[in-house]
Structures are given as C-alpha cells and as structure tokens.
Amino acid sequence: LVFGGLKYLHYTLCLAYLLSIAMKHERFCEALIQKHPEIRLRDVLTVTADRDRFIADLETALNYYGARFEGYTPISRSQAEQLYKVFSVGRGNLRLLQSSVMNAPCLVEYSDSAVVKTISGTQLDSGEFLLQALRLHYPTEYDTNQQTRERSMQKALERILAGRFPGTKFRRNLKLRMNGLILTDVDFIAIDETDGTVLFFQLKYQDHYHGDFRKRSSRGARLRNETENWLDASASWLENVEAIQIRTALQLKKHIPINRVYMIAIGMKFAHFLAPLAANEDFAYSSWAQIYDSVVRLSSMSGSKTLASLFAVLRTHMTHKVAIPQQIDEEVVFHLDTLSFQIVQLDGDPNR
C-alpha cells in the first residue's frame, strides 16, 4: 500500500517511533516523581519539541530502525516532513478535528516552530487516527487501497493459522452454488484433513463507529443482517448438495473425511453485534484481536491443538459470554447547563 509516495510500512514505523517516545517519557516521569514526590506528574508529562529538530530526528530514527524491515526504503527530509504532517494537527489541517468523535492526535503543532507530543493521543487508538489522517490527506489512494483490505485479511489469517496448525489446507473465495445459482461466497476456508474439520470464515473489514450512535446502529445492523444471510445460505448449501459436490468444491481427495463444518464471522474492528446469532452451536463470531487471542490461548492450553479446539475456544470467549454486566445506579441525575437526565436500565436487564 502506498500513500503520497510512501509505503504504509513507513507510516506504521513512524507510529511505532511515536509510541516508543511516549512510553519512554512516561517511564522516566514515573521514576522522577518517585525520587521527587513534590513534582506533580501533570507538570512533566507533556512533551514539547522544536518542529524542525523533531522532523530531523524522525528521519534519522526511521532510516536506522527501518533498515531491519523487509521492503523498507530510506526516506528523505522532505518525506519525514510528509510523515510529520500526517501525524500532526495544525492550522493547515484542522479538518481532522471537525468530527465530534475524532481520535486525539499524536502531535499538536501550536506554532510554526514548536510541537506538542501528546502521550494520550499516541497511546489511545493512534492507529485509528492514522487511518483518518490518510483518508483526509490522500482520499483517492485511500479509496483505492480499501479494495485490498479483504485480501490482506485473508493473507494475515492464513499466516496466523498456518503457523499454529501445520498441515492445514486453505481455500479462498469459494462460491457456493446450487441448482446453477450462487447462494453466497465464503471468504476463507481452513481444512484439517486429519480429523475432517472444516472452518468457513466470513471476513468483514469495517470502519469503526467510535462514539457515533447513528453509525453504531447502522453498521451493527448491517453486519448482523449480512452475517445472518451468509449463515442461512451456507447451511442450506451444506444440507442440500451432495457430499461429492462439497468435496469437489473444497478440492478434497476421496479419502479425506468431512466430519464437521463450523462457521466463523470475523470483524476487523468489532463483532459483538452478532451475539444474537450465537445460538447456532456451529457458529462463532470474533473481532480480529479476538481471533488472534484465541490462537494464543490455545497454544498455552493442554490437549490437542486442532481447528476444532480453536473453534471451541472462540465459542467460549465470544464477547457476550465474557462481558461483565454492570448495574446502573438509577438514583444519579446528571446536570448540564440546560439539561438534566438520568440513565435508566430497561426491565432490569444489565445488557440493555
């Protein structure tokens, strides 16, 4: 992926550099106030820097550490400034802050020669800020690169599963046909030829809704409806086509068994809206972070490490099963300048 002539790798390395600065400064501040308790943390946590010196240091750091990464190409001073402009907010790009739910920036330029390196902005979802900034600065390239997101998820998922489950076979973009019609498609398939377990994956790379309730409602409903249709079509195909057709579609040899087919929906940013569909015991949902977490959990558990056991871990740790319900204190009244309100829990249900 390329934005403004720079690879996405350059942007992620820049983000890692900013994060390392924030973490290092935070640790130094903690050590300082332990030695001198009279110093207040809030007085030393904010970091300012000379703009030009910061850009020069950024160029040096990325070229030094970036050389260790495959595909990295050295950057010039002007390209370092280009990276700086993407990660910073100043008078020239205040549009980044117009949204009421915009992530905090990593850098705030408060004069032509000085910048604030924000600890909170860097550590709190700075990846989302980067995506929003790239969309603002390079809208055409951003739209073009969006078309490759599903393929990137496929490659990453195969890399994760292949590393943990040697011998697993993979298929991509399988169209499920019945009576000459395409019912649906399966984005990714993992097959354990030893025990006959097959995993069907639906991959959803959606933008986050942040604190926007309208987007939350529409994106959640769309994800749920699309996944429900996919489950129904996949189940219909498995129930109504001949076993030989299933074997042919999955490109399996005659001696390879098909004992169980499980279906998994993975959302890049969120998947908890799919909880109502989890009554289907052959279905599990997961965010991208949760699928990786489940693979790591399984590797530390005793017993066999199979695709079937991975599905069992996913089922166990679906969001609605591990979420901790919170009771609302309905006696509390919140007051604003022209408004007073209470939060009410419907029917005593802590999940509503």
Side-chain angles (χ1 to χ4, degrees):
L1 303 182
V2 176
F3 296 91
L6 287 172
K7 297 179 181 179
Y8 189 63
L9 174 63
H10 291 107
Y11 293 98
T12 54
L13 287 176
C14 182
L15 182 57
Y17 172 66
L18 294 174
L19 183 59
S20 69
I21 292 175
M23 295 173 65
K24 178 182 177 181
H25 181 70
E26 194 173 45
R27 299 298 182 271
F28 271 80
C29 289
E30 290 173 353
L32 177 63
I33 61 176
Q34 286 179 2
K35 188 173 183 179
H36 297 282
E38 71 279 7
I39 296 178
R40 298 180 301 180
L41 181 62
R42 62 180 177 271
D43 290 337
V44 294
L45 202 55
T46 299
V47 191
T48 59
D50 176 81
R51 180 185 184 278
D52 292 338
R53 175 65 182 274
F54 177 81
I55 293 174
D57 289 344
L58 175 62
E59 176 191 0
T60 302
L62 260 62
N63 286 336
Y64 178 78
Y65 292 105
R68 307 178 186 183
F69 293 84
E70 182 180 355
Y72 179 83
T73 53
I75 61 172
S76 63
R77 177 61 181 273
S78 62
Q79 290 174 319
E81 185 166 357
Q82 178 181 335
L83 290 169
Y84 166 82
K85 290 180 179 178
V86 169
F87 281 95
S88 65
V89 168
R91 287 174 295 181
N93 61 345
L94 288 176
R95 286 181 297 165
L96 268 174
L97 303 180
Q98 287 180 349
S99 172
S100 60
V101 293
M102 183 61 197
N103 294 89
C106 302
L107 304 166
V108 178
E109 187 176 281
Y110 64 94
S111 76
D112 292 335
S113 60
V115 61
V116 173
K117 296 178 281 187
T118 66
I119 302 298
S120 59
T122 303
Q123 294 186 340
L124 297 177
D125 224 354
S126 51
E128 283 296 320
F129 176 83
L130 170 59
L131 293 177
Q132 295 293 335
L134 289 174
R135 174 179 283 177
L136 173 69
H137 289 282
Y138 310 108
T140 301
E141 290 168 294
Y142 188 92
D143 290 341
T144 300
N145 288 327
Q146 273 189 315
Q147 300 174 17
T148 68
R149 297 192 300 186
E150 184 179 294
R151 187 164 65 250
S152 297
M153 286 185 71
Q154 291 173 329
K155 291 181 179 179
L157 183 58
E158 181 171 337
R159 185 168 60 248
I160 292 171
L161 296 182
R164 298 289 182 174
F165 307 100
T168 300
K169 303 300 181 182
F170 304 103
R171 309 284 185 265
R172 298 182 187 179
N173 303 319
L174 172 64
K175 296 187 184 301
L176 305 186
R177 303 174 186 272
M178 188 168 65
N179 299 325
L181 299 177
I182 297 177
L183 300 183
T184 187
D185 65 320
V186 183
D187 297 324
F188 189 82
I189 300 170
I191 305 168
D192 185 337
E193 294 185 342
T194 303
D195 69 1
T197 298
V198 179
L199 302 183
F200 279 9
F201 289 90
Q202 182 189 45
L203 306 179
K204 291 294 184 182
Y205 197 123
Q206 70 281 76
D207 292 324
H208 207 289
Y209 51 82
H210 300 292
D212 191 316
F213 290 106
R214 182 174 297 177
K215 289 181 179 178
R216 181 185 189 277
S217 178
S218 63
R219 292 177 184 178
R222 183 167 62 249
L223 175 64
R224 186 167 55 250
N225 293 336
E226 290 178 354
T227 303
E228 186 171 16
N229 292 335
W230 177 74
L231 285 173
D232 291 342
S234 299
S236 177
W237 184 78
L238 291 169
E239 292 172 3
N240 294 294
V241 301
E242 298 292 335
I244 189 172
Q245 291 179 268
I246 297 177
R247 191 177 300 279
T248 300
L250 297 179
Q251 303 174 36
L252 295 179
K253 297 179 180 179
K254 292 182 179 180
H255 68 279
I256 303 299
I258 302 177
N259 294 325
R260 199 66 183 266
V261 179
Y262 298 111
M263 289 169 278
I264 302 171
I266 301 178
M268 175 56 75
K269 304 297 176 59
F270 54 84
H272 55 281
F273 297 105
L274 302 178
L277 306 180
N280 181 346
E281 295 183 356
D282 291 333
F283 170 71
Y285 66 86
S286 165
S287 67
W288 185 254
Q290 287 170 324
I291 187 71
Y292 184 79
D293 175 73
S294 295
V295 171
V296 174
R297 284 177 185 271
L298 182 62
S299 65
S300 63
M301 296 168 61
S302 59
S304 61
K305 310 295 191 297
T306 64
L307 294 182
S309 56
L310 172 63
F311 179 79
V313 172
L314 282 170
R315 284 281 300 178
T316 301
H317 293 91
M318 288 186 294
T319 302
H320 74 282
K321 290 189 175 182
V322 297
I324 301 175
Q326 299 293 325
Q327 294 290 339
I328 301 298
D329 185 355
E330 298 186 8
E331 300 298 323
V332 177
V333 179
F334 299 89
H335 299 282
L336 300 176
D337 290 341
T338 60
L339 175 69
S340 296
F341 65 94
Q342 289 177 281
I343 299 176
V344 179
Q345 190 165 294
L346 299 179
D347 302 327
D349 182 355
N351 295 316
R352 300 182 67 182

